[in-house]
């Protein structure tokens, strides 16, 4: 006994430690699964963004090449002082710019001076401006196509510059340049809280869905790179670029890392994914908020804790049942010992006078009768105590479940309105709301069934009593795939009785019917309600094996266990008959000619309707 008491705390400690370890492993698995989902989603989006960016630029790749082949272009570079030729080229560039929807098209001579431009007639005309310092001019001057992103020297507007040399024989005599505005790409990026960045070869972010991250550097820039940016005036007068603000970086794979993003004085965990565009010299960066990971871990832990509580409740119930069974066995053994002692005492006194012997025999018979009655009363008391404890446990579990279930339902509806969810995710959240709604209804009905009745008799709506009884056994009916037919023509029919006790009676009858049809290939249970004058007949039929003929006469006696397996505790039908009697009714049983059993409950009809109609 002392050893058992010493081992019990150790056992509980092991159980708690195991449960905590399982929850930790489950949380870790949930976090990894959600991060993997975010990584796959981010990679897909990177591919989409890179494709859209390439498509937008490739539309204009051939534009400078085509313009450089125009014969008047080379003619103007040979005769830059010809006003008619310059006017014709200006209008040609303006028309081409409108047709291609580029930003600006212009022509530079061999020294980088602008001799013609599509914006020649605007206050921000490029004509007369020298761009020999720009990398795209130097690249084209070397005889190859030029590519450069930067802030315009004249307009102070950022853009992507495409250049191509103009040759006269084998000599480069000028450069055709097309400027493209990439702001439309930035506007087309989704505004769902996801941060998308586009950085140049220096690591400077020049496009971003978050304005606070624009013109920042992915990494600190060395002095020689800052001098290059200043010499080429790539970003106008901007000479400093603050770091992006990524701290606590943890590399997950070649293009993915986990970090803390500091923006506006606040820090939040993000998943950083990169895709390098080698052909452009840029890289696309996607910053995904890791808040969904915390939500997924929280939801997983909530479900796991509920599951652990359910298992703990079942184990506690099993432990209590086992203790009661042991107590009953010990009481039976003690009773048997008492009987043996009495028999020995009677045998020792067998030689006494005949009248004394007769008196003792009468007393022994009376004692046996009392002992039998005591056993019946004792078993009834044990069963009643078990039902009371079960009712208390059910009520406690219902009270504990009500608020979390309602909270889960509210959370499901709230999450449905979160921006960025697709239709599939909303349908899943609607399914969660629907299932939690069903759980709320079941918990409410269980609570109503578990409350004690006040034993008052009055008008009871029969349709509601039948509906509640069926709802309480709905899981068993669905598990056994039982076809349940309810034939009740008058849904407003009322009977004299007590609602809670009448529901208990109907639950007992339906449970017996479910036990009876377990082995039936096509189980069917039928509930029929018939008004016969001042009485109402409620019949519960099944297509099971029926009731053994020997059990019919004692079916409603305590502890009568028929061969069919009905009423396994031996008190359910006796309780049902007592409830029927208390309600002024009668309960009877019979076998059906076509097979199966039939229980008929007769109650008094009540011609009564609510005052409001």
């Amino acid at each position: 006994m002392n050893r058992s008491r010493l081992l019990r705390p150790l056992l509980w400690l092991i159980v708690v430690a195991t449960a905590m370890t399982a929850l930790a492993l489950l949380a870790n698995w949930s976090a990894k699964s959600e991060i993997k989902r975010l990584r796959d989603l981010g990679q897909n989006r990177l591919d989409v963004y890179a494709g859209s960016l390439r498509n937008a630029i490739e539309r204009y790749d051939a534009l400078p090449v085509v313009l450089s082949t125009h014969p008047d272009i080379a003619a103007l570079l040979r005769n830059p002082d010809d006003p008619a030729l310059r006017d014709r080229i200006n209008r040609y560039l303006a028309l081409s710019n409108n047709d291609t929807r580029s930003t600006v098209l212009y022509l530079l001579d061999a020294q980088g001076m602008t001799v013609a431009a599509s914006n020649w007639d605007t206050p921000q005309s490029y004509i007369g401006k020298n761009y020999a310092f720009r990398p795209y001019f130097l690249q084209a001057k070397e005889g190859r196509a030029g590519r450069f992103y930067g802030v315009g020297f004249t307009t102070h507007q950022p853009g992507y510059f495409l250049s191509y040399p103009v040759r006269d024989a084998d000599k480069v005599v000028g450069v055709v340049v097309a400027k493209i505005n990439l702001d439309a790409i930035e506007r087309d990026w989704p505004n769902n809280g996801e941060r998308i960045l586009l950085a140049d070869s220096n690591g400077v972010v020049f496009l971003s869905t978050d304005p606070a991250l624009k013109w920042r550097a992915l990494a600190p820039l060395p002095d020689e790179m800052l001098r290059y940016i200043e010499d080429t005036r790539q970003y106008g007068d901007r000479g400093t670029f603050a770091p992006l603000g990524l701290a606590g970086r943890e590399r997950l794979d070649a293009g993915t890392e986990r970090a803390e993003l500091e923006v506006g004085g606040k820090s939040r965990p993000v998943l950083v994914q990169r895709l390098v565009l080698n052909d452009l010299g840029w890289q696309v960066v996607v910053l995904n908020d890791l808040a969904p990971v915390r939500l997924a871990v929280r939801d997983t832990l909530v479900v796991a804790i509920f599951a652990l509580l359910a298992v703990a409740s079942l184990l506690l119930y099993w432990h209590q049942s086992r203790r009661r069974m042991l107590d009953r066995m010990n009481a039976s053994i003690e009773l048997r010992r008492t009987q043996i002692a009495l028999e020995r005492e009677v045998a020792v006194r067998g030689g006494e006078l005949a009248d004394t012997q007769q008196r003792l025999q009468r007393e022994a018979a009376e004692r046996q009768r009392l002992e039998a009655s005591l056993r019946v009363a004792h078993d009834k008391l044990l069963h009643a105590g078990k039902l009371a404890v079960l009712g208390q446990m059910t009520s406690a579990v219902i009270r504990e479940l009500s608020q979390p279930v309602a909270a889960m339902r509210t959370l499901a509806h709230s999450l449905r309105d979160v921006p960025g969810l697709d239709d599939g995710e909303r349908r899943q959240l609607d399914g969660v709301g629907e299932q939690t709604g069903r759980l709320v209804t079941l918990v409410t009905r269980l609570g109503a069934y578990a409350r004690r009745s006040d034993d008052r008799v009055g008008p009871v709506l029969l349709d509601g009593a039948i509906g509640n009884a069926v709802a309480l056994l709905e899981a068993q009916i669905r598990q056994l795939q039982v076809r349940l037919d309810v034939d009740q023509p008058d849904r407003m029919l009322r009977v004299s009785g007590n609602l809670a006790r009448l529901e208990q009676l109907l639950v007992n009858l339906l449970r017996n019917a479910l036990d009876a049809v377990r082995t039936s290939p096509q189980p069917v249970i039928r509930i029929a309600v018939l008004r016969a004058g001042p009485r109402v007949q409620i019949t519960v039929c099944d297509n099971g094996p029926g009731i053994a003929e020997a059990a019919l006469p004692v079916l409603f006696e305590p502890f009568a266990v028929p061969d069919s397996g009905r009423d396994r505790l031996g008190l359910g039908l006796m309780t049902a008959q007592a409830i029927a009697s208390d309600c002024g009714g009668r309960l009877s049983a019979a076998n059906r000619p076509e097979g199966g059993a039939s229980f008929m409950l007769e109650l008094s009809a009540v011609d009564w309707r609510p005052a409001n109609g």
Side-chain angles (χ1 to χ4, degrees):
M1 185 67 177
N2 293 333
R3 183 180 179 183
S4 176
R5 289 182 177 178
L6 291 175
L7 290 177
R8 190 173 299 168
L10 180 60
L11 179 62
W12 277 110
L13 183 61
I14 293 174
V15 170
V16 171
T18 303
M20 296 299 293
T21 302
L23 290 176
L25 293 175
L26 191 60
N28 185 49
W29 169 84
S30 177
K32 288 183 177 180
S33 299
E34 185 64 18
I35 288 177
K36 183 180 182 303
R37 186 187 71 81
L38 291 177
R39 287 170 64 180
D40 294 341
L41 181 63
Q43 188 61 48
N44 292 336
R45 290 179 175 173
L46 279 174
D47 294 338
V48 172
Y49 301 150
S52 65
L53 187 63
R54 285 192 176 99
N55 290 337
I57 294 176
E58 287 173 358
R59 290 174 52 195
Y60 299 96
D61 269 348
L63 181 58
V65 179
V66 173
L67 294 177
S68 68
T69 61
H70 196 285
D72 289 343
I73 294 288
L76 178 62
L77 292 173
R78 286 193 298 270
N79 302 286
D81 296 329
D82 187 340
L85 185 58
R86 177 179 294 138
D87 181 70
R88 188 162 62 250
I89 293 299
N90 284 335
R91 296 182 184 278
Y92 169 68
L93 293 177
L95 180 62
S96 300
N97 187 63
N98 291 334
D99 291 341
T100 58
R101 297 184 180 179
S102 55
T103 303
V104 182
L105 299 175
Y106 52 103
L107 175 65
L108 307 179
D109 62 13
Q111 287 74 40
M113 187 68 68
T114 306
V115 296
S118 61
N119 62 354
W120 58 276
D121 58 347
T122 66
Q124 294 182 330
S125 173
Y126 286 7
I127 293 179
K129 303 292 175 56
N130 192 294
Y131 298 104
F133 61 90
R134 286 294 201 180
Y136 61 80
F137 172 79
L138 300 176
Q139 294 166 357
K141 190 79 163 102
E142 294 174 358
R144 56 192 175 92
R147 300 289 185 272
F148 180 72
Y149 183 89
V151 176
F153 179 66
T154 302
T155 62
H156 303 291
Q157 295 297 321
Y160 188 59
F161 297 85
L162 303 172
S163 63
Y164 199 78
V166 179
R167 291 182 174 86
D168 188 0
D170 293 333
K171 181 181 179 182
V172 176
V173 296
V175 175
V176 177
V177 184
K179 180 181 179 182
I180 306 167
N181 191 341
L182 299 182
D183 290 345
I185 298 176
E186 186 180 52
R187 289 192 299 269
D188 291 340
W189 282 342
N191 187 16
N192 55 6
E194 182 182 53
R195 292 177 171 87
I196 309 168
L197 314 177
L198 184 60
D200 63 9
S201 58
N202 301 325
V204 176
V205 177
F206 60 87
L207 290 182
S208 172
T209 56
D210 187 351
L213 302 181
K214 196 171 184 179
W215 306 122
R216 291 197 178 194
L218 299 180
L221 301 180
D223 293 339
E224 59 271 16
M225 188 175 295
L226 291 174
R227 284 194 297 271
Y228 169 79
I229 294 174
E230 183 178 359
D231 293 341
T232 60
R233 301 182 188 179
Q234 183 173 4
Y235 297 115
D237 297 332
R238 189 179 301 275
T240 58
F241 303 91
L244 186 60
L246 293 176
R249 301 166 72 167
E250 176 187 355
R251 187 173 181 270
L252 300 180
D253 57 36
T256 308
E257 62 182 350
R258 195 175 185 172
E260 294 286 331
L261 177 64
E262 297 181 1
V263 179
K266 295 182 179 180
S267 177
R268 62 181 63 188
V270 293
L271 190 68
V272 185
Q273 292 180 274
R274 307 169 187 263
L275 179 62
V276 178
L277 309 178
N278 294 319
D279 52 340
L280 299 174
W282 297 344
Q283 56 179 315
V284 183
V285 182
V286 174
L287 305 178
N288 272 315
D289 196 346
L290 288 178
V293 177
R294 295 194 300 271
L295 293 176
V297 171
R298 184 196 64 186
D299 294 342
T300 302
L301 289 179
V302 168
V303 173
I305 290 172
F306 271 111
L308 289 177
L309 290 176
V311 172
S313 300
L314 290 175
L315 290 177
L316 180 61
Y317 173 75
W318 173 81
H319 179 68
Q320 295 289 344
S321 301
R322 183 172 176 272
R323 288 190 59 181
R324 291 190 185 88
M325 184 177 64
L326 292 176
D327 292 342
R328 189 181 303 156
M329 291 176 60
N330 292 333
S332 178
I333 293 172
E334 188 63 29
L335 184 60
R336 181 59 181 164
R337 289 176 180 174
T338 303
Q339 289 177 343
I340 294 174
L342 289 174
E343 291 173 358
R344 288 176 180 176
E345 185 69 19
V346 171
V348 170
R349 296 180 179 274
E352 296 183 356
L353 297 174
D355 55 338
T356 304
Q357 185 177 7
Q358 292 176 359
R359 179 174 56 82
L360 290 175
Q361 288 176 351
R362 288 194 300 270
E363 290 178 354
E366 181 65 20
R367 185 178 295 110
Q368 289 177 357
R369 186 184 65 80
L370 293 175
E371 288 171 356
S373 300
L374 178 61
R375 285 197 301 272
V376 172
H378 179 69
D379 288 337
K380 287 183 180 179
L381 182 60
L382 286 178
H383 182 63
K386 181 173 71 174
L387 292 178
V389 172
L390 181 59
Q392 293 173 1
M393 291 174 59
T394 303
S395 299
V397 172
I398 288 170
R399 286 195 302 271
E400 293 297 323
L401 285 178
S402 296
Q403 287 187 346
V405 169
M408 290 170 65
R409 186 180 186 186
T410 303
L411 181 60
H413 285 292
S414 299
L415 288 177
R416 189 183 184 280
D417 299 327
V418 172
L421 295 179
D422 57 25
D423 293 339
E425 292 170 331
R426 286 193 172 93
R427 284 194 298 270
Q428 292 176 359
L429 288 174
D430 290 339
V432 172
E434 180 182 355
Q435 295 302 321
T436 51
R438 291 184 59 192
L439 188 54
V440 168
T441 302
L442 180 58
V443 166
T444 303
R445 285 174 174 168
L446 282 173
Y449 183 76
R451 297 190 192 100
R452 292 185 177 180
S453 171
D454 56 6
D455 292 334
R456 287 186 296 181
V457 175
V460 176
L461 184 62
L462 191 55
D463 182 65
I466 293 175
N468 290 341
V470 171
L472 290 172
L473 299 174
E474 180 182 0
Q476 299 180 36
I477 294 172
R478 186 169 54 253
Q479 181 182 4
L480 296 176
Q481 298 182 354
V482 177
R483 192 186 80 195
L484 180 63
D485 297 330
V486 180
D487 183 11
Q488 185 182 355
D490 186 2
R491 296 289 180 177
M492 300 304 295
L493 187 61
R494 285 176 167 79
V495 296
S496 177
N498 178 274
L499 177 60
R501 303 202 67 192
L502 184 56
E503 288 178 2
Q504 181 184 0
L505 189 155
L506 292 172
V507 167
N508 286 342
L509 295 182
L510 286 174
R511 285 181 56 199
N512 286 338
L514 288 172
D515 288 338
V517 298
R518 285 182 184 274
T519 58
S520 298
Q522 294 181 345
V524 177
I525 296 176
R526 184 172 182 269
I527 303 174
V529 179
L530 177 64
R531 172 75 180 267
R535 306 288 282 180
V536 176
Q537 297 176 352
I538 303 107
T539 306
V540 180
C541 305
D542 60 66
N543 63 345
I547 306 171
E549 292 296 328
L552 278 172
V554 296
L555 188 62
F556 297 101
E557 293 182 6
F559 308 106
V561 183
D563 294 339
S564 63
R566 299 173 181 274
D567 192 25
R568 299 183 184 278
L569 293 176
L571 291 174
L573 291 178
M574 184 197 73
T575 303
Q577 188 182 51
I579 294 173
S581 178
D582 292 341
C583 294
R586 186 171 68 90
L587 179 64
S588 60
N591 284 318
R592 303 168 64 201
E594 62 271 28
S598 172
F599 287 80
M600 179 183 291
L601 172 63
E602 292 186 15
L603 296 171
S604 298
V606 178
D607 295 321
W608 177 84
R609 293 290 187 274
N612 57 3

